[in-house]
Amino acid sequence: MSNDPIHQFHIVNLFPVEIGGVDFSFTNSSLFMVATVAVTTVFLMMATGGRGLVPSRWQSVAEMSYEFVANMLRSSAGTDGMRFFPFVFSIFMFVLVGNLFGMFPYFFTITSHIIVTFALAMLVILTVVVYGVMRHGFHFLNLFVPAGIPAILLPLVVLIEIISFLSRPVSLSVRLFANMLAGHITLKVFAGFVASLGSLGALGVAGAVLPLAMTVGLTALEFLVAFLQAYVFAVLTCMYLNDAIHPGH
Amino acid sequence: MAQAQETQTNETSAGHGATTAHTEVPHDGGHAQTMFPPFNGETFPSQLLWLAITFGAFYYMMSKMALPRIGGILEDRRDRIASDIAEAGRLKQETEVAIASYEQALAEARQKAGGIAQATRDKLAGETEAKRAAVEKDLNAKLEEAEKRISGIKEAALADVGEIANEATNALVESLLGKAPTKTETSKAVSASMS
């Protein structure tokens, strides 16, 4: 069982909760969601507790994350987009810390479940739609009508735009989910090679060096992917929010 | 080396086979919920609920506590830097004014010093000139007096020359003729021959 690469994605009930016949148990996934939120919040609050004019190391990490997301949002959605800054920052930090938590052995990766990433993606898309309609009303539909298209091509282009808009939550959620899932499975498989080869005697131990080196390399790669996917998720969120703010592109 | 490599790969593929065989056993013969966990719909309500609770709380804490605080810190720093730069600019301007007034004072002092030096030079030159003129005048006067004395002496000497000539003539004539002529005769003859 310890070699099963899928085992790490199992959801285990820690504290059963049932409301109206639906299972809302507090699971290992819930635990890591709580841990992600708690650790991030406590870190940010503690790091900035000194309110130093000259930042300490931790405080500059907190400030860097703030300015990183702020610049990302400002460059893709403009100054108007800054009203969504807490939202984008929360999404980025939640996904980033959730991904990084998954890098600890025996820890659960909350973003390796499609329902979580899909819920976050839907939250983004619904925010875009609700804010776009609230702010621009009917003109929000201009999003599907790019300027300067010949009338003959227009139905086709509008159809393509609508399909691309509808596929956004899917691509946004599947990208993050698949990256985390595949990365963790690969890591587990190569680490499993090390264990099973190591049990085959002296030759096996010698042979296990290769997958071990691979595991080390993959671990580094997974840290990169953990950051990169959080960044990609946040950047796409910024770009979609830009559509809500300026629909006529 | 190549040999070792080959054995290694063989070992690896053997290990691979062993692993898959190993993993597939619980999969096939496992319990009913061996469904791929991320696609197991039974866990969705719980995940959604806890995601909503945790992410909602996270959003609230970020937007109400953490981000305003970090934003405030950055704002304070920006303000402080701006005010420090403004202060530095003000001090620089003051320094420039001080330098300008110093340079003006220096230029004035230099001009004044030049004036004083020129005046002193002029005064000294005037005094020297006056002294020189006085000395020259004095010298001229002395020169004139000396020349006058020389010419007096010369005249007197010349006059004496006549007397000596007379006497010498007298003596010559006396020794030649044995009889001295009269003074008047001699002087008449001498002055006649000298003129």
Side-chain angles (χ1 to χ4, degrees):
Chain A
M1 200 58 174
S2 66
N3 271 348
D4 179 7
I6 304 301
H7 178 72
Q8 58 183 323
F9 304 114
H10 275 138
I11 290 199
V12 181
N13 278 9
L14 300 177
F15 184 77
V17 180
E18 202 176 299
I19 303 167
V22 188
D23 182 20
F24 286 118
S25 299
F26 187 85
T27 62
N28 54 348
S29 172
S30 320
L31 176 68
F32 278 96
M33 287 178 193
V34 171
T36 300
V37 168
V39 166
T40 312
T41 309
V42 167
F43 170 76
L44 288 178
M45 295 311 284
M46 299 263 281
T48 55
R51 292 174 163 274
L53 197 63
V54 178
S56 63
R57 280 180 211 173
W58 294 123
Q59 190 183 323
S60 36
V61 172
E63 287 173 8
M64 268 163 62
S65 62
Y66 181 100
E67 293 196 312
F68 179 71
V69 178
N71 289 336
M72 188 199 304
L73 182 57
R74 200 177 290 118
S75 64
S76 46
T79 322
D80 269 356
M82 290 314 281
R83 75 182 61 214
F84 292 111
F85 176 60
F87 178 61
V88 178
F89 186 83
S90 304
I91 285 204
F92 175 71
M93 291 308 277
F94 189 79
V95 173
L96 176 68
V97 176
N99 289 350
L100 288 176
F101 258 157
M103 293 308 297
F104 287 94
Y106 298 105
F107 277 28
F108 182 84
T109 317
I110 51 176
T111 45
S112 68
H113 277 245
I114 180 89
I115 189 68
V116 172
T117 61
F118 187 71
L120 288 174
M122 280 315 289
L123 185 62
V124 170
I125 299 298
L126 287 178
T127 307
V128 168
V129 172
V130 170
Y131 180 76
V133 171
M134 257 173 55
R135 178 160 163 169
H136 301 284
F138 188 70
H139 289 290
F140 179 60
L141 294 179
N142 282 352
L143 181 61
F144 303 117
V145 190
I149 300 288
I152 305 173
L153 282 178
L154 206 54
L156 184 65
V157 171
V158 168
L159 187 67
I160 292 174
E161 289 283 335
I162 289 174
I163 293 173
S164 104
F165 186 83
L166 291 179
S167 64
R168 277 177 183 180
V170 177
S171 69
L172 192 58
S173 56
V174 168
R175 183 182 301 112
L176 175 58
F177 154 70
N179 266 286
M180 298 322 291
L181 185 84
H184 281 76
I185 290 178
T186 319
L187 254 184
K188 183 81 181 185
V189 165
F190 276 96
F193 286 168
V194 179
S196 35
L197 280 177
S199 63
L200 291 180
L203 256 181
V205 170
V209 170
L210 276 180
L212 179 64
M214 195 71 186
T215 309
V216 171
L218 278 174
T219 307
L221 181 71
E222 282 309 302
F223 273 107
L224 178 71
V225 168
F227 171 77
L228 204 64
Q229 288 306 320
Y231 174 70
V232 167
F233 201 99
V235 162
L236 287 174
T237 302
C238 292
M239 290 166 82
Y240 298 160
L241 286 170
N242 183 41
D243 282 346
I245 298 161
H246 315 105
H249 48 163
Chain B
M1 186 63 203
Q3 185 79 35
Q5 201 102 38
E6 209 172 304
T7 18
Q8 271 182 10
T9 29
N10 281 346
E11 290 295 328
T12 315
S13 50
H16 187 35
T19 317
T20 40
H22 204 77
T23 47
E24 239 131 72
V25 172
H27 235 282
D28 295 338
H31 9 260
Q33 54 141 6
T34 41
M35 192 179 199
F36 187 52
F39 296 148
N40 183 358
E42 285 171 23
T43 64
F44 286 4
S46 148
Q47 291 201 65
L48 285 176
L49 174 75
W50 288 102
L51 177 67
I53 291 171
T54 52
F55 190 76
F58 189 57
Y59 178 79
Y60 179 80
M61 287 188 289
M62 289 299 108
S63 61
K64 295 285 177 229
M65 293 152 63
L67 295 179
R69 187 193 271 191
I70 302 176
I73 291 170
L74 294 174
E75 191 73 21
D76 285 354
R77 183 173 309 144
R78 225 181 334 258
D79 288 353
R80 175 68 186 274
I81 289 172
S83 80
D84 282 2
I85 286 175
E87 175 74 5
R90 196 181 61 73
L91 290 175
K92 191 175 169 227
Q93 209 162 6
E94 269 177 21
T95 316
E96 269 165 7
V97 168
I99 287 175
S101 72
Y102 159 74
E103 267 171 4
Q104 199 184 347
L106 193 67
E108 272 170 15
R110 203 172 276 151
Q111 210 171 358
K112 211 185 266 178
I116 291 170
Q118 190 61 40
T120 313
R121 216 167 10 242
D122 287 352
K123 202 180 104 194
L124 288 178
E127 275 176 11
T128 317
E129 189 61 31
K131 265 186 195 160
R132 201 170 61 87
V135 169
E136 263 176 10
K137 204 173 138 196
D138 199 24
L139 282 176
N140 280 348
K142 277 185 182 161
L143 205 62
E144 231 166 90
E145 198 185 329
E147 272 173 0
K148 217 180 271 173
R149 259 175 58 200
I150 290 168
S151 66
I153 291 167
K154 203 172 155 189
E155 261 169 44
L158 280 178
D160 285 351
V161 166
E163 194 68 21
I164 292 163
N166 281 352
E167 274 173 18
T169 314
N170 241 0
L172 278 171
V173 171
E174 197 182 358
S175 59
L176 284 173
L177 302 179
K179 179 190 160 247
T182 61
K183 269 198 178 164
T184 29
E185 275 173 341
T186 327
S187 73
K188 211 185 267 174
V190 167
S191 54
S193 71
M194 272 169 60
S195 58

